[in-house]
Structures are given as C-alpha cells and as structure tokens.
Amino acid sequence: MSTGTTTAATPVATKGGSAAMGLRRYWPRPKSVAGQIALLVVAAIVAAHAAAAVALVAMREPWRAEARPGVAANRLAIIARMLDEAVPAERGTILDAARRSVPSLQIQGWQGTPAESAHLNDRPIIERLRDAFGRELTLTDLALGAAAEDPPVVHVGLRTPTGAQLRATLPDDPLEPPKRGAVVFTFLFLATTLTLLTVWATRALTAPLAQLAGAAEAFGTNRAPLPLPRRGPDEVLALAGALDRMRARVNRLIDDRTQMLAAISHDLRTPITRLRLRAEFIDDDQARERTLRDLDQMNALVEAALAYARDERSAEGGSDSEKPLIDIASLVQTVCDDFSDTGAAVSMEQARHVLIRAHPEDLERAVNNLVDNAVKYAGGARLSVSKCENGVAIEVADDGPGIPEAERHAMLQPFVRGDRARNLNDASGFGLGLSIVLAIVEAHDGRLTLENRPAGGLSARIELPGTLTSDGARTSREIETA
C-alpha cells in the first residue's frame, strides 16, 4: 500500500469563512456532537412553538367578539329563542339583561307591526340569523328607505312564533370564512422552517465527518493528501488528530522499511559478488554449481524485495498530468513478443488501442509478472486488451490449475506462493509477483481481479481508468485509435 507524503493539514479557506467566524464569535455553539444534536432539537421545538404562536395570533377572536357579524347573529338568535320560550311576564327582564350583556346589538322591546321584508333574505347576516334561530322567524326592515350608515348596519324587528318581539341592530359586514389560509400558511411555514433548519444543522454537523472520510480514503493512494478538518465537534477533531498521527506513523514505518530494504540490498551485493568470485575457484563442479545457484537465489530475493517496496511506493511518483500518454495495446504486444521470442506459448488474441496516462515501465512489469506466472504454471498465456465500463481491461488467461477461491486473497500478499509445499531451495519465485502487480495497479487507480475460468485455468484481469486528466484544451475523455 502506498501512502501520501506526510504534510501538516491546513484548513481550506472558503467563501464567507470570515463571516462564519464572526457569527460564531457572538453565537457560540456546543463543541460536542451530543451538544449540537441537543441544540438542533431545541431549536426545532422553539421554531415549532413560534409558528404555533403566530397561528394563534392570526386566528384569535377579537376583543369584542360580538362585533363580528357571525357572532352577533348567533347571539341575537339565542336571545330570540330565550324570549320565545319565556312567558310574557319574564320577557322584559330578559330584554333588560340582554341589553346590558350585548350593548352593541342595541336590543330593545318592539311593539310595531311585523311585516316580512323579503329583500332582507338576500343579506348573509340575515341568513345566518335564521339558521341560528332554527324556527320560523318574521323579520322587518326598520330602516327601509333610510340613508346608508357607516359602518353598514341592519336595523331589524323580530317576531318569534310565540309572539315575542324585539328590535336590534346587526353589523352588515360580509361574513368572513374560516381562516384556512392562515392555517395552511402556518403549516407550510413550520414545515419549511424545520426542514431548512434541519438540513443546515445536519450539513454543518456532518461536513467535518465527510471531510475526514475523504482524507482517510485518499490516504494510501496516489492522490495528494486531503486536509483534515480543523473545525467541528470535539469528537471529530479528536479523530482527525488521531488519523493525522497514524498517517505520520505509517509513512515513517514505510519509509524506514524501504530504506532498510535498500540498505540491505546495497550491502549484500558486495559480499554476494565476492562469494560468487570465490565460488569460481571451487574444484568440485557440483559444489560450485550449487553455491552459484544459492548466490543467484539470494541476489534475486534481494532484488525482488527491493522491487516490491519500490513499486509499493510508486504512487508518490507524481500526479496523472506527469504520466506519459501510452498505448496499452502496444505495451501488451511488446510483452507478448518478448515471451514469444523465448519460445513461450504466448499469443495476443484481441488488441483494442486505447491511450491513457500511465507509467509504461511499471505497467510493463505488471503484465510481465502475470504472463510469467501463466507460463510458469500453465505453460502459456493468451492476452487481450478491451474496453470496459470504467476504461480499459488487460486480461491474461491460461489453461493451468487455477487458484482456489479461498486462497485468491492470500495470493496477493507478499511472500505467498501458489505451491505452499515448495521451499526456497526448489522455488523459482518468492511470492512477490502478484503483490508487485497489485501495488502497480493500485498506484494507477485500477483494479486487479483473479478468477478461475469455467473451461479451466486462471484469468487475471487488470482494469485501468481510461479517462484522461484534463489539461489545457484536452477533453476529459479517453482517446481511441483504430
């Protein structure tokens, strides 16, 4: 696994950052996740209560409810029913009490001659009065022909079925329907306010977590290390600090290991060379050949370990814009030709020419390792280059025994070989070939998969992104040739 260079993460300046800092200076918020969630809940409750209070204020009854036409008509209907049910001797007392209780209706006794005024039935206030009384009611317009008053009123004389009579003045304003608009507006305002508040609060709460996840995801790839969050809840800041320290320790350990392998390789070459020269003077041919073979194996082991460490760190070699533009099909054909020249049964079945940015030496080494394994364990290989969903795919197929599914993951680990029974004296490799391939593929943001073919054998597939990095006038699309 390759890692990014250890650098001190600095917060990225964003638009409006100074304004946000100024707001926090006057409105401090809790530093913990639990405190911020509690603040969100309390703020939502306060907003809900504020919206409910606005609704109550908008729909409240006026201080003098009888001034509303509908209320005045209902109260006059109640008084008329009381008079209708009472005996004639008690009606005067009821009228006096009603006059004092509802002065705005100007209720008085009336001894005039009732005459039904048909034009009154067109007024909504009269219709409400008749509906509220619920019985036959004779209504007379006492202001017929008089000049209109401001505010508009209706002077009516009433006669109930039992002969009770009175006169009253009703407001003639239009009847107001229930304030459904206020109710709808209140609920819409409440829903919108709570939604916006919740979205804002959750985004502010999860933004440091998303930034932390991005930094953790970029760690170990060829991408530049992303800055760790410097603002947010205390738990996120503690986790960011722990990740930063872990990243520094991992980088230091890998650097130390690479330097150690390089030092071992450098220091062992000289004594191996001296031993090789001394082995040439051994008189026993069999002993000399065994010694030279052991020395060659030691040198190959050192070189393979150093190559693995170097390829594992290759992700630090630069950005995509620094990689040359190469034709994958030509590179794979070169590897195929090299093996064919040595007499190996290696052939190219399909070649799709696609240009991508990559390190040709590293990709050639990766393909070479896969073909070498196929030739070594299956006697030959068939190569193909094709387009895939994400870019270009390089496939190396053979007719060998394949790899059991339970061992495929382990085979990608360093120093793990396919034949566990072999030892170093008989082995022709050290179990680093697939590990080197995996390190190179991951350094190019690709994927390596090993699958057993239904007809027998193993299929090793490398998928590389075929999208070019935009630079200047170049478009972000893969370039295909014939």
Side-chain angles (χ1 to χ4, degrees), residues 30-291:
K31 296 183 178 180
S32 65
V33 175
Q36 293 187 15
I37 292 177
L39 176 62
L40 173 61
V41 173
V42 171
I45 295 175
V46 171
H49 280 75
V54 171
L56 290 176
V57 171
M59 295 183 294
R60 75 185 189 279
E61 292 287 340
W63 181 255
R64 295 178 59 193
E66 63 272 8
R68 303 181 65 174
V71 176
N74 290 337
R75 294 189 176 182
L76 181 57
I78 294 174
I79 295 172
R81 291 201 60 172
M82 294 175 61
L83 291 174
D84 188 60
E85 297 293 339
V87 297
E90 298 177 352
R91 290 173 181 172
T93 304
I94 295 175
L95 283 174
D96 293 339
R99 187 167 45 252
R100 292 192 301 269
S101 300
V102 193
S104 61
L105 294 181
Q106 301 177 14
I107 298 175
Q108 296 177 4
W110 180 54
Q111 301 299 326
T113 303
E116 185 69 26
S117 300
H119 66 277
L120 290 178
N121 296 329
D122 297 333
R123 300 176 183 270
I125 189 67
I126 299 302
E127 183 178 359
R128 173 67 65 86
L129 176 61
R130 290 185 182 277
D131 291 341
F133 186 75
R135 300 178 187 176
E136 183 66 25
L137 188 63
T138 303
L139 297 176
T140 303
D141 187 0
L142 301 181
L144 184 63
E149 301 181 39
D150 188 25
V153 294
V154 178
H155 300 282
V156 294
L158 289 81
R159 179 181 175 86
T160 67
T162 60
Q165 294 186 191
L166 74 156
R167 62 178 299 169
T169 301
L170 291 174
D172 197 20
D173 296 329
L175 297 180
E176 297 181 2
K179 295 186 177 181
R180 296 189 182 94
V183 177
V184 173
F185 172 78
T186 299
F187 280 104
L188 290 178
F189 175 79
L190 180 61
T192 304
T193 302
L194 293 183
T195 300
L196 294 178
L197 178 63
T198 303
V199 170
W200 170 80
T202 51
R203 286 178 63 87
L205 186 61
T206 58
L209 292 176
Q211 186 180 2
L212 182 61
E217 185 69 24
F219 180 59
T221 65
N222 64 336
R223 293 179 289 171
L226 298 178
L228 296 173
R230 296 301 180 187
R231 294 194 301 268
D234 289 343
E235 295 86 349
V236 175
L237 296 180
L239 183 58
L243 179 61
D244 195 20
R245 292 189 295 271
M246 182 197 71
R247 185 166 61 181
R249 289 195 299 268
V250 170
N251 283 329
R252 185 169 60 252
L253 290 173
I254 293 178
D255 290 339
D256 293 343
R257 187 195 63 175
T258 304
Q259 293 175 5
M260 180 188 66
L261 289 175
I264 291 175
S265 175
H266 179 270
D267 294 341
L268 285 180
R269 284 172 180 169
T270 301
I272 289 176
T273 303
R274 288 199 302 264
L275 289 174
R276 183 184 297 277
L277 292 176
R278 292 172 184 172
E280 295 293 340
F281 295 99
I282 298 177
D283 295 332
D284 189 342
D285 293 339
Q286 186 177 6
R288 183 174 61 254
E289 292 178 0
R290 290 180 178 177
T291 302

Side-chain angles (χ1 to χ4, degrees), residues 302-332:
V302 172
E303 293 294 340
L306 185 60
Y308 170 71
R310 181 176 61 251
D311 291 327
E312 195 183 26
R313 296 286 289 181
S314 61
E316 298 177 7
S319 61
D320 289 343
S321 60
E322 298 173 353
K323 298 175 182 177
L325 194 63
I326 64 173
D327 182 1
I328 290 295
S330 300
L331 183 145
V332 175

Side-chain angles (χ1 to χ4, degrees), residues 365-366 369-370 373 430-438:
R365 185 184 302 116
N369 287 355
L370 293 179
N373 284 342
F430 307 100
L432 289 173
L434 290 177
S435 301
I436 292 176
V437 174
L438 180 62

